[in-house]
Amino acid sequence: MIWLGLIILGLIAGFGIYASLPKAAGTRLSPARISFAVLPVIAALGLYAILGNPMLPAKPYAERDGERNLAAAAAVADNVTDPNFKTDQQIRRLLNQIVVSLEVNPRNLQGWVALARGSLRLGNIERAVAAFAQAYALSGHNPLLAIEYADTRITAQNGQIDSTSRDLVLHALGQMPNHLLARYYYGMMLKQNEKPVQALRVLSDLYRDLPKDDPLGNATASEIQALQATTDAMTDAQ
């Protein structure tokens, strides 16, 4: 039913834009005003079709780094031979329309989520972080958005978990103790806080619970291997 919510929110934003535009002399309904007003509806549906469900959980930072860099390179170079170029161009146009609708209705939660995901797809990490911050606040601190916001902040900081990201991860984990991505980042927090034994335990438990072929599998296995080497070295030193 998210598509229906997007239509309703787009219609509300469109009505606001229509009402704010100047009226043409001698006419009650202006085709130009109507055409401009329906842009938020088209943009919302277009982003939904391209990006999918905006509330789906994100891939972990370690798993989507290459994909993100390819998209960013295509966006910067405007390389028409790149297979993602057409989609990136479509997303860019739709995001511009979403920005217009958000200026009229800044409390459009799905608009901010779509802006964040689309910006991330195009490699605009800073705008994605800002958009997720707005969406998270409007959602009443939804734990699913908390972990996606944290994931995006961690992406922007090259894998480092700052105090804001830490609080977001802990909030998500408190509401959803079995959430796989939240557990992954909790283990990474322990690792970065120089607690390799605890981090190894958390990530090992997570790995046992991961479904086969889960996107977190490779990243988790790699971290476990590195942590195991660290703890073995600590044991040998003792």
Side-chain angles (χ1 to χ4, degrees), residues 188-207:
M188 297 304 297
M189 285 168 48
L190 293 170
K191 177 187 176 182
Q192 292 182 17
N193 288 335
E194 299 182 355
K195 298 178 179 179
V197 176
Q198 295 93 320
L200 179 60
R201 185 183 307 115
V202 169
L203 292 178
S204 296
D205 290 343
L206 169 63
Y207 192 74

Side-chain angles (χ1 to χ4, degrees), residues 163-180:
S163 59
T164 299
S165 298
R166 179 200 63 204
D167 292 343
L168 290 166
V169 170
L170 292 176
H171 172 66
L173 198 61
Q175 298 294 316
M176 305 177 299
N178 294 320
H179 191 279
L180 299 178

